[in-house]
Each structure stands twice: as C-alpha cells, then as structure tokens.
Amino acid sequence: MYSIWVGDMVLLEPLNEDSFIMNLRNRFDHNEIYTYIGSVVISMNPYRSLPIYTPQKVEEYRNRNFYELSPHIYALADEAYRSLRDQDKDQCILITGESGAGKTEASKLVMSYVAAVCGKGQEVNKVKEQLLQSNPVLEAFGNAKTMRNDNSSRFGKYMDIEFDFKGDPLGGVISNYLLEKSRVCKQPRGERNFHIFYQLLSGASDDTLNLKEMCELLGIEQSVLERAFSYRTVEAKMEKMSTTLNVAQAYYARDALAKNLYSRLFSWLVTRINESIKVGLLFGLVMGVLDIYGFEIFEDNSFEQFIINYCNEKLQQIFIELTLREEQEEYIREDIEWTNIEYFNNAVICDLIENNQNGILAMLDEECLRPGTVTDDTFLDKLNTICAEHQHFESRLNKNSKFLTDHSLPHSCFRIQHYAGKVLYRVEGFVDKNNDLLYRDLSQAMYKATHSLMRQLFPEGNPAKVNLKRPPTAGFQFKASVGVLMKNLQTKNPNYIRCIKPNDKKVAHIFTDSLVCHQVRYLGLVENVRVRRAGYAFRQPYESCLERYKMLCKKTWPHWRGPARDGVEVLLTDCSVPTEEFAYGRSKIFIRNPRTLFTLEERRRACLEDLATLIQKIYRGWKSRTHFLLLKKSQVVVAAWYRRYAPFSLSLQMQKYFLGLKTTTMSPMDNSWPAKPYGFLEGAHTQLRRIFHLWRVCYYLWLFFQGGITDFTGQRVKLLYMPLPSSVSQPFKGDYLEIQKNPKYQKLNSAMEEKVLLADLVNKINRANGKGSPRLFLLTKSNFVLADQKTGQVKASVPLPDLASVSVSTQSDGFFALKLKEVMEGTSKGDFLLSSEHLIEIITKLHRIGTTAADRDQINIDISDEFLVQFKQDKVCVKFIQGGPKNGNSAACKRKNNRLLEVSVPSP
C-alpha cells in the first residue's frame, strides 16, 4: 500500500517510480500542486487559477520555517529571501521544465512574493513596481502561443535583483538569451507570432502595410531599401563587387532584415529596462531568477530546438553537480559515512554538443566558416564521420549499421539521446541560422534612416567604420552566453523549482501518468529523493551552527571558550537530540531529518522571545524607576506645600459640614439629608446618613416601648417600620383569646410557665395545598407556642433564641414566616408560614422582646414580595402578586407546584 498525501517525497514509503507518480496524482487531484524533495519544489501546472496566492497566504508563509507549513512556492521564495537577508548569501532561483510546465508563472510568483515581504517606502515601492512591470513588457515582445503553451517564452531571461543589507530591493539587471527571431517570418502550423503583433493590430486599421509605408515609418528612402533587397556588395582586398540577388536570395535578405530588426529591437528594449532598474555599482546582495525555455521535442525540430535543448542540458548538469554529485563528494570530504547512489551524469551529452574540437557546435561553426560549397548536407556528413561512435548520437548515414534500416530516422536528420529523451533534428536551415548573416547593404541602408533608433540598432552600417571581419555565429554567441550564465549560477546558493505539466491538452483536472512519468524520469527526481534519503538534509559549519543555536544551552551561552565542534557537541547533547539524527564532519555538523532542524529553530525562536522579553523588562524597569523617582521628588515638593496650607483649610471645611448636620430632623419618617458638600467626604457622608437613621429609629422605638410616646397607634408603628405590610386602626390588645378567663383554654394556660404577652388565632399554611389550618399562637418572653384550636393541645413550642428572622411582604395580606436558625442535621423543625389579622402587633412584640433581651441576638425583620420558607428538608418560594380573589377582600394562598406557593393580594 503506497503512502499518499506525503508533502515531502523524502518521507515516501515505499520509494519507487510508481509510488512517486501516485503521490503526485493524489496531491494534484486535491489541488495540492506543490510537493517537496527536501528543499526542491516540484510544481504541477494546474492550468487554472487557484486561491492560494492571496495576500493572506503571503503573510502565512512570511518568516516561517521551510517545513513548517504545507508545500508552496512561497516557502521556497521566503527561504531564499531570508537566507539572502539574514545570512548574506547570494541566491538563485532555477526554474526548469518542459514548455508549458508553468516556469514563467513560477518566476512571477517568486518575484511578487519577494516584493510583498521586503521593505516599504516610496523609493523601495518604486523599484519593486519597475521590477514587476518589466515582466508584461518582455512577455509581449518575447512570448508567443505554441502548440504546448499559450504563453511560451521564446527567449531566455535571467534577472539579477540586487538588495541592500536590510533586504530592500535596489534594482536589477536582465540578461536575455537567444530570442527565437525566426518566428517573425514563419510560425509552425497552429502557432502564432509574438504577442505584440496581435496587440498592435487589435488597435490598428484594416489597411495592409506595404513597403512604401514601412520606409516612411523607418525614415528611409524607398529606393535605398529596394536596392538593398536586390543587390549585394562584396568587399575583399580594397575591391568591391556588386551582384544581383535572385528571388530566393531576395526573400532571404527580406527575412534576415525582419529577424535582425526585431531581435535588435528586443535587445534595445531589454537595455532600456536595465537602464531604468539598474543600481550602478554592484555592491549589495543578489538574487537571480532564471526563466528560460524548457526542453522541447516537436514534430519538426530545427536549430532553435537544438540550442534550447543544449541550454537545458547545461541546467541539468548544474542540477546534477550541485544536488547529486556535490552531495556525495561533500560527505567524502567531511569523512561522513555514505551509501553511494548511482545516477546518470549528462556531462557526456553536453560534451557531444559543446566540445571545442569535435562537438556539434564546433563542427557547425567550422562548416559555416570554411571556404567552398557549404550546405546542411555537408554539415550532416561531417557529423556522421566524427560522431558516429558516440553512444548518444544517431544518424541513418553514419558508420553504425544498426541505424541503416531505422525508418523512423530520415536521411536528412540526426537524433540525440538527451537526458529528457530522444530528439530528432532536421538539419535543414542549421547553416543559415547559425551564420545569421545580414548583408552589409541592408545594414548600411538602415543606418541611412532618419529615425534615430535605426542608427543605434545597426551601428555596423556606418560607412566610416566598415569592419570586414566576419561576425561570430549564433551558436558561438549562445554557447558563450550559456557559459557566462553557468558561472554566474555556480557562485550563488541554488533554489530549485522543477515544473511539470500534467497533460498535453492544456486543460485542468487531467493527469496523464505516462507524460508525468517521462518528465520525472528525465528530471531525475526519484534519484534526487534517494540521495536525500541516503544523506543528511542540512549541514552547516560548526562556527555558524554554534553561533546560531548557542542560546539553547546554558553551557554555550553567551560565550563558548573552546573549539566550535566541542561547543556543538555540548549543545546537541544538552538539547537531547538523538545521536542517529546527526553526524560530525571535519568542519561541519550534518543533520539528517529536516524536522530536527525545525525543532531547533522553534526553540531558538522561543529563546529569542524570552531574551526580547528580558530586555523589555529591564528597560521598562529602568524607565518606571526613573519616572517613580521624578514623581517622588515632585511629591515631596507638593506635600511640603500641602502640609503648609491644607490643615487650616480642611478643618474649616469639616467644621462647616458637621455644623450643617445639626439641622437634620429627628423623625425617622423624614428621608431628607443634607447634600454632599465635598467629593472627599463621599464615603463618610453615606455612612453617617445610615448610622444616624438607624440611631433615630432605635431611639424612637425605645421611647415607644418605655411609654414615652403615648399616642402611638398601629398605623404609626407601621410607618416606623416602613414598609411593613397591613394597616391597622385598632390599638394593640395582646390577649385576643381571653386565655385566662376562657375555661376552654384553662389547661393550656396552666401549662404556660411565663406570662402570656400575646394570644391570637392564626392560620398555619399547609405547603401541600396552600390552605390554612387554625392554630392558637401564644407569645411569652422566652418562646412562642402553636396549639390546636379545639383541644388546646400544644403542637409546637419554639424558644425565641432559635428564631432567626421574620419575613413579611410589602402588601396588606397578613402573611408572615417565622424562620428558625439552622440546627444540627436531623433536628430542624422547619419554618412556620402563618397568617394573622394582628400581624403588626405580633412583629412589634417579637422585635421588642429581641431588642430588650441581653442574652439573645436581635430578631431580623425581612420585607420582600418573594421569600423562601424551609419546610423540613425542602425550600418553597412564597410569592405575593396583586389582583387577588374576586369573591373576597382577603388574601388567598394557592400551591402552584412543589416549589412555589402564590399569595394573591386584593388590589388596594
């Protein structure tokens, strides 16, 4: 069973070509178009827009570890940018793959990401805008629709972007390679010319441009151009000879001028762009981005495809040298145990093409420069003679007999077995395209144009500077340019994006296994995984490793005094990194698994945050202490002045305030209180009001119970206890049952040990139905008693010290609850819910007994329209509502549920 959804092919199990392709397919089917091989990014062209390049995605991958998030081209761009900015390492982004695999889009994504994460500012933004806007201009003039790609780059572009020490872009330089200028005159069936022609024609009139109008645009006389197309002047040893061109030669001259004019205009355009974005003196850090035509295998392959594929062979050679061969060689140099991995080295193919003595390009130049009759067939004959025994060269006419009967190999063709597969080249046009001749008459005619640009484009047409030396061939120039490019790339740290196209139809959601497998094979991706798995994903000199991670260990932080290798050993041991995850080289530490490195990076980030917090703490402490000392100094000055003047002013304010309180009335029914005069007295003002009110209430109660207020009626007592319920008009009687005279209660009276202060008939409320049962209520100084109305038998006798509080409502209902204190579990008698017509008198005498007794706590009076009553083990809510029974003027109690008794009170 193959592993699927693996983001890094290094973790793929089992590893073989089938599992590799299956993993790519599964990820592609779920819109996961990026996959890693260690630090190499595989990019599948989705042939549609995906929502994975938003500003939010840019922020998500910004300053994140390469392996921290799911594979993305932004992760590689961020890694390259941070290595350049933080480690001062020049970088290059090498984007390779077939035509139509998405290389141009990948290069634009890299540049847009770098532009988004680097610094801001007016000048920086201007540079970023210039760098980004150079792409659409060059694409218009250098890209075209082909059978395999609607926006195929028909030239090679390498851009060096220069940054300052902060990581802000300063400018850049663009190098272009081998524009396919033959497309100006002729395009393969089903393909188009360069985009710019269609863009210009979309806004032009329907008139056809003739030679006359062309001359007017160029600023050249028509007769001069006509003669240049009809005659050719040959100079040799101070002699000139003019010959008339036949029709074929005239067509050649016309096409040569068109191709050279467009090619030179394109080079001029690149130069103008460079002038606007160049830095001047190169002194900063550089990131190179290579976007160059991919490997091409068409039905009809000519000189252009041969040159393009040669360039891709060189790029593959760079990849092999830097990621495969160099990988193994470094382990040998560092004395690290290594399992040798066999891989195909395409240096033999590069040598077949570029060898200075017997390479194909050298033989082509030799044919172009030699005297005598030179044709494409003579060039092929030379190849058949010199390259016959080469294992990667095939021809029907060479000495190797095995190709004599190969009908797939025409006589006018040769075949090269490239790293990407076999390619059949038709030799027709090789010599002319390599010569790339422009007759001197045409150059001189263009130099005579009044348009200033023409003189810049054709400087060799200046009659005063005639150069009889033959210009270098196209192949020679391209080989030299590729050599310079390779040297440039080898000086930088490479970052690889390997682009793969999933199908040849340029449509979404189609994954052709055979096509993808072919690309995986010639890109050597499976071999790349094997090398990564056999080796170590990360290596770094001991000094750099110790410097970066020394804060993770107390023994190495802040300074390590011994050799760097010893410090790294102490560091890794202290961090508990498993020994199988690393190896010690002669000058470097090798770490096998990327996740081990990620763990170290996370711990380093946490340490840096702690260090930043410590620095902030010290700074804030210093700042706070400085501020405190300043405030303390100011406080001393202010306090000195305040102590000098404040006591006198404060004493006057307090005196005035307390004298104003003398006017407050002594009546507890008067709620008036003087206004608060000063803000600093707010707390004292509130407390004094509360204490004074309590005192005058107690004072009036004392007067009442001592007989000092002789006309105190029940109504006035009710006002004193605002807002106690019920209004009464009759005076307090005490014994409403005449218990001492009534023989019915003689036995009950004799059972009472103390004088009865109050005897009344009350209703005891039953929680089961809310109905009342008549009871005799007797109150003495020590307890209260509930007895049966008919028999006088005592039902309950409760000492007053066990009475905690009395609850009543705010309405005229006569209900009251006698709440007992909590006693030991199992002995609680429960509360009593009663109703009486003499509620005020009962509460008044209960309160009087509680306030005059020195050996017990005061009985609290709670007033609320909703309170709880404890019936043995359960608590029941008693709720009072307005709008009582229609058939009476008294309150009625009704059970609503197990936890609620509702008392309906008639509206006043």
Side-chain angles (χ1 to χ4, degrees):
M1 184 65 184
Y2 296 134
S3 299
I4 60 176
W5 290 102
V6 176
D8 190 343
M9 291 292 190
V10 174
L11 305 177
L12 186 64
E13 287 293 342
L15 174 62
N16 53 51
E17 192 175 83
D18 291 340
S19 63
F20 194 99
I21 302 300
M22 181 175 289
N23 192 52
L24 288 179
R25 169 188 275 278
N26 285 331
R27 294 180 62 78
F28 179 80
D29 289 343
H30 291 82
N31 299 326
E32 295 287 344
I33 63 171
Y34 297 113
T35 309
Y36 292 154
I37 301 178
S39 60
V40 177
V41 174
I42 302 174
S43 173
M44 300 288 292
N45 191 343
Y47 288 116
R48 63 192 177 99
S49 298
L50 294 176
I52 58 174
Y53 308 108
T54 61
Q56 292 76 16
K57 276 290 181 184
V58 171
E59 289 302 315
E60 184 179 344
Y61 280 84
R62 185 174 187 173
N63 292 327
R64 303 294 287 271
N65 187 278
F66 185 81
Y67 300 100
E68 187 173 353
L69 301 174
S70 59
H72 201 291
I73 195 171
Y74 284 170
L76 179 137
D78 187 76
E79 183 77 11
Y81 175 70
R82 287 192 291 118
S83 295
L84 175 140
R85 182 194 63 193
D86 300 340
Q87 301 178 17
D88 296 338
K89 290 183 179 179
D90 288 348
Q91 305 289 315
C92 63
I93 312 292
L94 300 180
I95 309 172
T96 58
E98 284 191 10
S99 178
K103 299 183 302 300
T104 299
E105 285 302 312
S107 69
K108 289 191 286 188
L109 288 171
V110 170
M111 293 180 63
S112 64
Y113 178 85
V114 173
V117 300
C118 63
K120 302 295 186 290
Q122 183 175 355
E123 190 62 30
V124 172
N125 291 338
K126 178 182 176 183
V127 173
K128 291 193 291 188
E129 189 68 18
Q130 288 175 329
L131 292 173
L132 293 176
Q133 291 304 320
S134 66
N135 275 325
V137 177
L138 293 177
E139 284 185 17
F141 283 85
N143 288 25
K145 179 181 179 181
T146 67
M147 295 296 293
R148 298 187 175 186
N149 188 355
D150 291 343
N151 189 34
S152 177
S153 297
R154 308 317 300 161
F155 73 106
K157 181 182 73 173
Y158 176 76
M159 175 182 283
D160 264 336
I161 308 173
E162 188 172 358
F163 299 82
D164 62 14
F165 69 96
K166 302 188 300 296
D168 295 339
L170 300 173
V173 177
I174 298 174
S175 302
N176 63 299
Y177 301 95
L178 191 67
L179 177 72
E180 189 189 27
K181 56 188 177 183
S182 61
R183 185 171 291 270
V184 174
C185 303
K186 182 181 178 182
Q187 306 89 40
R189 180 179 300 177
E191 297 190 2
R192 303 206 317 177
N193 211 325
F194 294 103
H195 295 327
I196 188 63
F197 292 109
Y198 305 94
Q199 294 168 353
L200 291 174
L201 290 174
S202 65
S205 62
D206 295 334
D207 296 337
T208 303
L209 184 68
N210 55 49
L211 290 170
K212 179 181 179 180
E213 290 174 325
M214 185 185 73
C215 289
E216 292 176 357
L217 292 174
L218 296 175
I220 186 174
E221 295 182 9
Q222 183 176 346
S223 59
V224 173
L225 189 59
E226 288 177 350
R227 178 173 177 79
F229 281 145
S230 305
Y231 298 90
R232 180 185 180 188
T233 302
V234 180
E235 297 184 33
K237 296 181 179 180
M238 304 301 293
E239 295 182 5
K240 291 185 179 181
M241 182 175 63
S242 181
T243 60
T244 304
L245 302 178
N246 59 31
V247 175
Q249 291 173 330
Y251 280 146
Y252 175 85
R254 178 201 63 188
D255 291 349
L257 178 60
K259 291 187 292 184
N260 274 273
L261 180 59
Y262 191 83
S263 175
R264 297 183 187 199
L265 178 64
F266 185 78
S267 298
W268 173 84
L269 179 65
V270 173
T271 302
R272 287 297 303 270
I273 293 175
N274 283 337
E275 289 175 356
S276 66
I277 64 175
K278 68 180 180 181
V279 179
L281 295 177
L282 294 177
F283 61 91
L285 300 167
V286 174
M287 176 183 290
V289 180
L290 179 64
D291 173 18
I292 203 164
Y293 17 58
F295 198 87
E296 294 186 343
I297 307 177
F298 298 148
E299 291 183 5
D300 188 6
N301 302 290
S302 186
F303 178 75
E304 292 83 3
Q305 282 68 48
F306 176 75
I307 291 296
I308 288 171
N309 293 343
Y310 160 61
C311 180
N312 278 270
E313 288 284 359
K314 294 296 291 183
L315 290 175
Q316 177 67 6
Q317 188 178 30
I318 283 281
F319 179 75
I320 291 172
E321 289 178 356
L322 297 181
T323 64
L324 300 179
R325 188 186 67 194
E326 192 65 29
E327 185 92 2
Q328 297 182 15
E329 291 179 353
E330 183 174 25
Y331 292 140
I332 295 173
R333 287 196 306 270
E334 290 289 327
D335 196 23
I336 297 293
E337 185 178 352
W338 169 258
T339 302
N340 189 53
I341 299 296
E342 295 296 331
Y343 61 88
F344 171 67
N345 190 337
N346 73 331
V348 62
I349 303 176
C350 295
D351 186 70
L352 170 66
I353 299 173
E354 67 182 5
N355 188 282
N356 291 329
Q357 279 72 38
N358 52 12
I360 295 177
L361 285 177
M363 287 184 283
L364 180 59
D365 284 352
E366 186 178 314
E367 279 296 296
C368 292
L369 298 177
R370 75 174 175 84
T373 303
V374 177
T375 64
D376 295 320
D377 291 334
T378 61
F379 165 62
L380 182 58
D381 291 339
K382 184 181 288 289
L383 293 183
N384 289 331
T385 301
I386 298 178
C387 303
E389 301 300 326
H390 200 286
Q391 57 181 338
H392 293 277
F393 179 84
E394 301 174 4
S395 173
R396 188 88 175 266
L397 300 177
N398 70 3
K399 299 177 182 179
N400 196 328
S401 59
K402 69 177 181 179
F403 301 115
L404 292 176
T405 58
D406 188 351
H407 297 288
S408 66
L409 187 58
H411 290 279
S412 60
C413 301
F414 66 92
R415 189 159 55 201
I416 295 179
Q417 187 174 343
H418 288 282
Y419 78 94
K422 292 184 178 182
V423 182
L424 183 70
Y425 296 103
R426 190 176 301 277
V427 295
E428 181 183 353
F430 260 65
V431 172
D432 285 342
K433 292 175 181 178
N434 187 51
N435 272 324
D436 195 23
L437 287 179
L438 180 67
Y439 297 150
R440 186 173 294 111
D441 301 74
L442 289 171
S443 298
Q444 292 176 349
M446 299 305 293
Y447 191 80
K448 293 178 182 177
T450 58
H451 198 296
S452 60
L453 180 58
M454 292 301 103
R455 293 196 172 193
Q456 296 180 41
L457 298 183
F458 296 91
E460 75 276 13
N462 187 351
K465 298 181 180 180
V466 175
N467 186 359
L468 299 180
K469 185 178 179 181
R470 189 182 183 107
T473 63
F476 178 86
Q477 295 181 66
F478 187 73
K479 176 184 173 183
S481 298
V482 170
V484 172
L485 175 64
M486 296 304 125
K487 289 181 180 179
N488 190 346
L489 296 179
Q490 288 174 334
T491 63
K492 296 178 173 61
N493 184 56
N495 301 269
Y496 291 99
I497 302 174
R498 311 292 260 171
C499 297
I500 294 178
K501 60 180 182 180
N503 61 77
D504 269 332
K505 298 180 180 180
K506 298 183 288 188
V507 293
H509 306 296
I510 295 180
F511 187 98
T512 306
D513 286 11
S514 58
L515 178 64
V516 174
C517 181
H518 171 69
Q519 296 171 83
V520 168
R521 285 177 182 173
Y522 77 68
L523 290 173
L525 298 184
V526 177
E527 287 79 8
N528 191 192
V529 177
R530 289 197 178 101
V531 170
R532 287 287 181 179
R533 286 162 68 105
Y536 295 84
F538 176 79
R539 73 291 315 268
Q540 193 174 32
Y542 290 120
E543 294 78 10
S544 301
C545 180
L546 183 62
E547 182 65 26
R548 186 167 185 82
Y549 300 112
K550 63 182 180 180
M551 71 278 296
L552 303 183
C553 174
K554 293 182 179 179
K555 298 177 182 178
T556 57
W557 176 259
H559 300 292
W560 175 257
R561 301 299 180 185
R565 171 170 176 162
D566 296 344
V568 172
E569 290 183 5
V570 171
L571 173 66
L572 295 180
T573 302
D574 189 74
C575 291
S576 301
V577 179
T579 55
E580 64 272 13
E581 283 297 316
F582 60 87
Y584 296 109
R586 293 180 178 177
S587 63
K588 297 180 180 179
I589 179 68
F590 288 74
I591 296 178
R592 183 181 301 278
N593 198 317
R595 283 162 180 76
T596 301
L597 179 65
F598 170 68
T599 301
L600 293 175
E601 284 291 325
E602 282 299 306
R603 295 181 64 176
R604 178 179 182 270
R605 181 182 300 179
C607 283
L608 290 178
E609 291 176 356
D610 292 341
L611 289 174
T613 302
L614 179 61
I615 294 172
Q616 291 175 350
K617 175 183 176 182
I618 295 173
Y619 171 74
R620 289 171 180 166
W622 170 83
K623 185 177 180 181
S624 298
R625 178 169 177 78
T626 303
H627 183 63
F628 167 75
L629 293 176
L630 180 62
L631 289 179
K632 185 177 181 181
K633 181 178 179 181
S634 303
Q635 184 265 341
V636 171
V637 176
V638 173
W641 284 92
Y642 181 78
R643 284 193 296 269
R644 185 173 179 181
Y645 295 101
F648 176 73
S649 175
L650 183 61
S651 62
L652 290 178
Q653 293 173 356
M654 296 296 292
Q655 183 180 9
K656 181 179 179 182
Y657 172 66
F658 286 118
L659 289 175
L661 296 180
K662 290 175 60 176
T663 62
T664 306
T665 177
M666 289 293 293
S667 172
M669 293 178 287
D670 187 357
N671 291 326
S672 63
W673 186 251
K676 176 182 64 177
Y678 307 109
F680 72 92
L681 288 174
E682 181 176 3
H685 184 76
T686 303
Q687 292 296 325
L688 282 173
R689 180 178 185 179
R690 184 183 68 82
I691 295 170
F692 177 73
H693 180 67
L694 291 176
W695 176 82
R696 65 185 178 182
V697 168
C698 292
Y699 175 72
Y700 263 73
L701 283 173
W702 179 80
L703 288 178
F704 168 70
F705 290 122
Q706 296 298 324
I709 303 177
T710 58
D711 59 347
F712 234 39
T713 65
Q715 174 68 17
R716 295 184 65 187
V717 173
K718 185 220 176 206
L719 293 177
L720 179 67
Y721 283 94
M722 281 294 291
L724 285 176
S726 300
S727 61
V728 293
S729 56
Q730 70 274 18
F732 292 169
K733 182 178 179 181
D735 185 4
Y736 294 94
L737 301 178
E738 296 182 344
I739 191 171
Q740 294 181 354
K741 300 178 182 179
N742 194 334
K744 182 179 180 180
Y745 303 127
Q746 185 177 1
K747 183 177 180 180
L748 178 62
N749 184 41
S750 62
M752 303 301 293
E753 299 179 353
E754 296 178 309
K755 179 183 178 181
V756 177
L757 303 178
L758 185 145
D760 189 18
L761 180 64
V762 300
N763 283 319
K764 178 178 178 294
I765 306 302
N766 189 341
R767 69 164 288 189
N769 50 23
K771 295 182 179 181
S773 302
R775 291 286 187 271
L776 302 180
F777 180 83
L778 307 179
L779 177 65
T780 68
K781 287 186 178 182
S782 301
N783 56 10
F784 70 86
V785 175
L786 288 175
D788 187 88
Q789 179 192 14
K790 295 180 179 180
T791 63
Q793 181 181 357
V794 176
K795 295 291 186 179
S797 178
V798 179
L800 289 184
D802 288 348
L803 181 63
S805 63
V806 180
S807 293
V808 296
S809 75
T810 63
Q811 306 183 48
S812 301
D813 49 70
F815 281 77
F816 65 101
L818 299 177
K819 296 186 177 181
L820 305 185
K821 295 180 180 179
E822 294 293 336
V823 295
M824 295 179 60
E825 185 177 355
T827 63
S828 175
K829 301 175 182 178
D831 301 336
F832 297 93
L833 181 59
L834 310 171
S835 66
S836 171
E837 295 180 355
H838 307 102
L839 171 63
I840 297 299
E841 184 174 355
I842 293 173
I843 294 175
T844 302
K845 291 190 175 181
L846 282 172
H847 185 271
R848 178 181 179 185
I849 295 171
T851 54
T852 56
D855 58 344
R856 64 173 72 103
D857 296 332
Q858 182 177 336
I859 299 173
N860 295 323
I861 309 297
D862 298 326
I863 305 173
S864 173
D865 284 340
E866 187 173 324
F867 51 78
L868 294 176
V869 179
Q870 181 80 33
F871 287 108
K872 294 189 177 179
Q873 300 302 322
D874 297 328
K875 288 186 178 180
V876 176
C877 177
V878 181
K879 186 175 182 180
F880 297 82
I881 60 172
Q882 286 276 348
K886 300 179 181 179
N887 57 354
N889 296 324
S890 62
C893 181
K894 184 177 181 181
R895 175 180 178 270
K896 302 299 290 185
N897 55 52
N898 290 338
R899 301 294 182 183
L900 177 62
L901 290 175
E902 191 173 85
V903 179
S904 300
V905 183
S907 300

